Amino acid sequence: MRGVPEARTVPRTVISGRRRLFDLGLSELRDYGELFFFLVWRDIKGRYAQSVLGVGWALIQPTLQMIVFTVIFGGLANIDSDGIPYPIFSYTALVAWNYFSNALSDATGSLVKDKAMMQKIYFPRMILPGSAVLGRLVDFFIALLLLVGLMVWYAIPPTPWVLLLPLFLVITMAAASGLGMGLGALAVQYRDVKHGLTFGIQLFMYAAPVVYPVSYVPEQFRLWYAINPMVGVIEGFRAALLGSTPMPWDLIAVGAVSSVVILSLGAMYFRSKERIFADVA
Amino acid sequence: MSEPAISVENLSKRYRIGVRNRRRDTLVGNAIEALSAPLRNLKRLARLSRFDENEDDRPDVVWAVRDVSFDVEPGEVVGVIGRNGAGKSTLLKLLTRIAVPTSGEAVINGHVSSLLEVGTGFHPELTGRENVYLNGAVLGMTRREISRKFDEIVDFSGVERFIETPVKRYSSGMKVRLAFSVAAHLEPEILLVDEVLSVGDWEFQKKCLGKMDDVARQGRTVLFVSHNQAAVTRLCSRILLMEHGCLVEDGPAHEVMSVYLRAGMGSMAEQSWPDPTTAPGADVARIRAARVVGEDGRVSDAVDIRRPIFLEMEYEVLRPGYLLQPNFTVWNAEEAVVAFAGVDLDPEWIDRKRPKGLYVTRARIPGNLLAEGMFTVDACMSTKRPVKAQFNADAAMAFHVVDPMDGTTARGDWAGRMGGVMRPKLEWATEYLGAGRDEEPVLVEEPVG
């Protein structure tokens, strides 16, 4: 029990101020896998602690949004929904969109939230935004369950493309992580990000086909429009689950490339800034 | 020769501290101020992380650590002392990789853990059990390691009854005990401790010191930053003295400590516990302050060897009706107990139950008794019937006994090394007993007149 086990190899740590731009520190991230896991678990357990409805809130948010959108956009504004009932049309988009927006805002706030931890111990800082993005998956799957229920209710069978959902999820996670890392790193130094984000995400929702179909966007702008990775993801969700439109491969491809770019840029910016987190947070 | 456990070379860290903008005092000036505020804020915030060349002289640039180099061999116990803002804590932050150095390099061979991190990552909504796992992971233990030590950790913390309760329902003491218990079960090869940063009450700090002692005894490496100079002197064999970010002394503990004290840089003659809720103590009495006072009534950590020294403790009696037994234990630099002053013999109180209130107890150490050197003193208190400890403020104060070397002390005119725990000025007498056996009597010629 006492003494240092002889078998343990002695790790050698070199501390210096040199920076390496393209070293994303991924191998180190692997060594901290368990911490990663525990932080995800902490986020999930902590989020709905001491609430009566608990994870029920993961259902209430999109459901109420769906009702409001159905009344306003489907009813009053009479927006076209590709021939499927407006509630399920908007809810399908909300499942993907809410995951993205929640993951993004959690990831952005993660560094400031855990700054006490950053100022007391060392760990690869990417774990914080990363665990925030993973932690929101629980909400996503719960919301997805309700979507299955709605599909049964409206008697809409899924298409075989449903097998592509994991791909859409990966694109969403990449975009949320990339943006979240970039904005999170910025938020450490400029708290304005926090104030702007809530509001920004609300506006940004209208730049994605959540309440309207892609067909509302003029043909010639669509590929530009698809630079927002959530365009391809949301339309892909609808095509796979509801079969309302053919699979929009072009939008998905543009979105996938864009999300990879966002992820890389976000990670690089994050790496270049992370050295100052503990100093300025 | 083995590699050093810690090897630091020209390590430097530069910070920019926020400097307040000057204010204008006219209405128009204020209006312009308000309008241009966002732009100014942007500049100010952006500058936090940017440094231009040759900017070192600017008032808001601070070199918290500058060109520090040293090696620590495996098994060494090294203290880091210095005034507030000397860069001690920053040095530790660099070594724990919390902050990134501006220049220079440090190499660490071995698993590091630091007691700065006690309780870090505790989530109030999670139960004690869940937090043990979370905190363990934060400290770098694997899940299997934590599972293996889980029962031990919980036992040691003494909160087993509440282990399934969310930590937010714990008292602050329980939280600290649980957190410390996790940290105490780490098995680092190198332990970094910052007492300045470690929050917590006296009990907790004592536990930290205890843990350090254990780690040191097991032959592991310890780097200890502290304000408690008495504790540093007692625990460390070697001391690094920092000033304005630079390492100014590095050597055997007592030598460096003397330099430090002689330069008037620190005082350890007095310690107080202004917050009665965290001061060491139990239900009957709590300590308020402890100090070393000279003959003139002034707090002093360098005492003339010929003069008496007064050890003082100030305390509050919370519950009336007990006989109290204040006591002091005096240690020398070699960790020998020089005196256990265990009985307060003041006839006024020796058999009188104490009413509630504040007290000060003073013990006089006569002059010409202790040897030169450093002494640390524990201030302790217990009740008499029943005998129950109230507080044990280890290393509550320390002082230096200095010989003025003017021939009037027990040294006489000898200026070299002198051993001994005590240096009493004894009564000497020498008589001439006449001539030896086999020798002619030597006639001493008396001067005539």
Side-chain angles (χ1 to χ4, degrees), chain A residues 112-180:
Chain A
V112 175
K113 189 185 85 193
D114 275 321
K115 73 172 188 186
M117 208 161 115
M118 284 200 299
Q119 285 167 339
K120 282 196 171 164
I121 58 160
Y122 174 79
F123 56 91
R125 307 310 193 199
M126 267 186 199
I127 286 183
L128 289 176
S131 66
V133 169
L134 284 185
R136 280 292 181 174
L137 278 177
V138 175
D139 296 32
F140 171 79
F141 286 115
I142 290 169
L144 199 61
L145 276 181
L146 183 63
L147 179 57
V148 173
L150 282 174
M151 286 166 66
V152 172
W153 174 260
Y154 285 106
I156 300 174
T159 72
W161 294 120
V162 81
L163 295 174
L164 282 178
L165 285 190
L167 169 72
F168 301 148
L169 189 57
V170 167
I171 295 177
T172 310
M173 288 170 73
S177 312
L179 264 178

Side-chain angles (χ1 to χ4, degrees), chain B residues 25-75:
Chain B
D25 40 14
T26 64
L27 187 61
V28 179
N30 273 320
I32 293 173
E33 190 95 331
L35 287 174
S36 62
L39 198 69
R40 248 193 353 265
N41 285 339
L42 177 66
K43 270 195 192 153
R44 184 170 55 84
L45 289 176
R47 276 159 50 96
L48 278 175
S49 60
R50 212 171 38 225
F51 298 95
D52 303 323
E53 292 300 310
N54 307 320
E55 230 196 357
D56 298 353
D57 305 333
R58 297 186 54 109
D60 58 343
V61 173
V62 174
W63 284 91
V65 170
R66 188 158 211 178
D67 276 335
V68 168
S69 305
F70 62 90
D71 281 359
V72 177
E73 298 304 323

Side-chain angles (χ1 to χ4, degrees), chain A residues 31 38 48 69 92 101 108 113 144 151 168 170 174 203 212 220 223 227 237 260 271 276:
Chain A
D31 297 341
F38 275 115
Y48 298 112
F69 290 167
T92 308
S101 71
T108 304
K113 189 185 85 193
L144 199 61
M151 286 166 66
F168 301 148
V170 167
L203 286 186
Y212 56 87
Q220 67 267 34
L223 288 183
I227 289 177
F237 259 67
V260 168
R271 285 291 287 179
I276 60 154

Side-chain angles (χ1 to χ4, degrees), chain A residues 1-5 8-18 28 32 34-35 37-39 41-42 45-46 49-50 116-122 125 189-190 192 273 275-276 278-280, chain B residues 3 13 15 42 45-46 48-49 94-101 104-111 116-117 120-121 123 125-126 130 133-134 137-138 141-143 152 168-169 187 189 218 220:
Chain A
M1 185 53 234
R2 70 179 280 283
V4 183
R8 255 203 309 194
T9 51
V10 176
R12 182 184 168 87
T13 315
V14 178
I15 299 163
S16 82
R18 278 192 294 275
E28 195 186 30
Y32 282 82
E34 289 210 338
L35 177 60
F37 165 82
F38 275 115
L39 288 180
W41 171 72
R42 175 198 73 168
K45 271 222 68 164
Q50 201 172 357
M117 208 161 115
M118 284 200 299
Q119 285 167 339
K120 282 196 171 164
I121 58 160
Y122 174 79
R125 307 310 193 199
Q189 198 161 4
Y190 306 97
D192 307 61
K273 279 285 173 186
R275 50 177 39 236
I276 60 154
D279 302 350
V280 301
Chain B
E3 273 191 293
K13 174 71 180 177
Y15 279 115
L42 177 66
L45 289 176
L48 278 175
S49 60
L94 294 176
L95 294 180
T96 47
R97 291 201 285 168
I98 293 165
V100 180
E105 199 177 87
V107 177
I108 294 184
N109 290 304
H111 289 273
L116 338 166
E117 55 210 26
T120 307
H123 193 295
E125 299 287 355
L126 301 184
E130 291 163 337
Y133 277 90
L134 179 62
V138 167
M141 287 195 240
T142 63
R143 217 175 332 166
E152 240 180 287
K168 64 180 174 180
R169 310 252 180 260
E187 292 178 356
E189 282 132 13
Q218 289 167 15
R220 303 189 222 168

Side-chain angles (χ1 to χ4, degrees), chain A residues 210-273:
Chain A
V210 176
V211 298
Y212 56 87
V214 170
S215 51
Y216 272 38
V217 177
E219 194 79 58
Q220 67 267 34
F221 295 132
R222 269 194 211 153
L223 288 183
W224 293 105
Y225 178 60
I227 289 177
N228 174 359
M230 291 314 288
V231 171
V233 168
I234 291 173
E235 279 304 292
F237 259 67
R238 285 187 180 137
L241 289 167
L242 311 178
S244 54
T245 49
M247 189 55 73
W249 294 111
D250 48 347
L251 303 182
I252 294 166
V254 172
V257 170
S258 150
S259 70
V260 168
V261 171
I262 291 173
L263 180 63
S264 324
L265 288 179
M268 271 160 67
Y269 181 69
F270 188 92
R271 285 291 287 179
S272 74
K273 279 285 173 186

Side-chain angles (χ1 to χ4, degrees), chain B residues 253-303:
Chain B
H254 299 106
E255 281 173 28
V256 177
M257 194 53 93
S258 313
V259 171
Y260 184 62
L261 292 177
R262 241 175 263 139
M265 282 197 274
S267 167
M268 45 188 188
E270 187 170 18
Q271 190 161 183
S272 62
W273 292 266
D275 180 359
T277 56
T278 58
D283 52 334
V284 180
R286 273 181 192 283
I287 194 165
R288 297 286 287 264
R291 56 183 85 89
V292 182
V293 180
E295 223 176 359
D296 54 0
R298 278 209 293 232
V299 176
S300 159
D301 53 21
V303 195

